[in-house]
Amino acid sequence: MNNKYDIWGTKVWTGKIIVLIILLLATGFCVALGIHLRNATGRDIYRYLNWDIFLGWVPIGLALLIDGVMKLRRSWIRNVLVLGAGIVWLLFYPNSVYLVTDTLHPFVHYEAPAGQRFLFQLEFWYHLFLFFVAAILGLGLGTYSLSSIQQLVREHYGVVRSWIFAHIVLILSSIGIYIGRFIRWNSWNAITHPQLIWKDVIDIVTDPVQLHFMFVFTGMIWFISLVGYFMMRGGMFMTRRG
């Protein structure tokens, strides 16, 4: 096998590490700018963004864990570990792209001086750039972890099935983002309160107004996720077996 395309090869892992460093730098930028805004405004704002970013990193940790487990000798223990970690990864994956929806917060929390247009206030642009970078970071985090998992699916089930898998994940993620943003359920609630989430979903699909809103919103999120995935994936894990 040509190590140039080996997922465990040095070249591929060097690329993964470089991307991780870029994502870490973007994370540091968001945290630092959030601290600057709290100090400059004297307002305790945007601390929740740190938590949202942390949750966005969880799928990457799980994807790396799955990569590591796949190095073990094939056995039922390995299969159970991969299945368990894969389910948890799928539940937490929407938290990455969820950061895109946080871009609404500058328009909610920015307080323009009386009689002045927010457009010409430098502070507003600090608010906006913070969440703009966070949104790009979210797409990057999502692309990183999904690309890693898709590569494993590709190796075991082929290219076509790996892309079907990726599209299904993006669709489910878009629905999960809607549930998280508007119904306010968290990833772990799917385990702790599955019946309540199911009840809320039934309420939505049986209400034409809510169903229309969910359909349009999830469609837009899916499109943004898909475009972001295609654009970013090329620079991350466009690898194949030799």
Side-chain angles (χ1 to χ4, degrees):
M1 181 184 298
N2 186 348
N3 282 337
K4 178 180 178 181
Y5 301 113
D6 184 1
I7 192 171
W8 304 111
T10 302
K11 184 170 182 177
V12 173
W13 272 103
T14 299
K16 285 189 172 187
I17 292 173
I18 291 174
V19 174
L20 278 176
I21 291 173
I22 294 173
L23 293 174
L24 284 169
L25 289 174
T27 298
F29 174 85
C30 290
V31 172
L33 188 52
I35 293 173
H36 170 75
L37 281 173
R38 284 189 288 274
N39 292 335
T41 62
R43 299 168 58 201
D44 192 27
I45 54 176
Y46 302 149
R47 290 189 184 275
Y48 52 80
L49 182 60
N50 296 337
W51 175 247
D52 287 350
I53 291 175
F54 169 76
L55 292 177
W57 272 93
V58 170
I60 285 186
L62 291 168
L64 293 175
L65 174 63
I66 292 172
D67 271 350
V69 172
M70 289 298 294
K71 294 179 65 176
L72 301 176
R73 180 179 302 177
R74 185 184 296 272
S75 66
W76 69 268
I77 297 178
R78 190 191 76 167
N79 293 339
V80 170
L81 290 175
V82 170
L83 178 61
I87 292 174
V88 177
W89 172 83
L90 183 61
L91 291 176
F92 277 85
Y93 177 78
N95 291 298
S96 297
V97 185
Y98 179 87
L99 287 167
V100 171
T101 67
D102 277 342
T103 51
L104 68 89
H105 290 296
F107 303 96
V108 175
H109 296 288
Y110 173 68
E111 298 177 351
Q116 298 184 32
R117 296 181 62 187
F118 71 90
L119 183 64
F120 297 100
Q121 300 301 310
L122 185 59
E123 182 192 328
F124 169 76
W125 291 102
Y126 278 125
H127 288 251
L128 187 62
F129 286 151
L130 167 61
F131 285 95
F132 178 73
V133 174
I136 295 177
L137 172 62
L139 290 174
L141 294 172
T143 299
Y144 188 100
S145 67
L146 180 54
S147 293
S148 184
I149 299 298
Q150 183 185 354
Q151 179 68 21
L152 295 176
V153 174
R154 174 180 177 173
E155 291 170 1
H156 289 82
Y157 301 104
V159 176
V160 174
R161 291 180 180 177
S162 75
W163 278 107
I164 293 174
F165 167 81
H167 281 285
I168 291 175
V169 170
L170 292 177
I171 292 172
L172 293 176
S173 172
S174 300
I175 297 173
I177 291 170
Y178 175 87
I179 292 174
R181 170 55 64 190
F182 297 105
I183 307 181
R184 308 306 295 167
W185 288 108
N186 297 307
S187 299
W188 50 87
N189 293 138
I191 298 175
T192 60
H193 300 93
Q195 71 284 359
L196 296 181
I197 293 181
W198 181 249
K199 177 181 180 300
D200 287 336
V201 171
I202 294 298
D203 290 340
I204 291 173
V205 298
T206 55
D207 183 337
V209 176
Q210 290 190 70
L211 182 61
H212 174 74
F213 183 84
M214 183 186 75
F215 181 79
V216 174
F217 179 86
T218 55
M220 290 190 291
I221 290 294
W222 168 80
F223 181 76
I224 292 172
S225 302
L226 185 64
V227 171
Y229 188 63
F230 276 119
M231 291 178 64
M232 293 183 173
R233 186 176 186 274
M236 291 189 181
F237 305 115
M238 289 299 287
T239 61
R240 68 177 188 274
R241 291 284 184 178

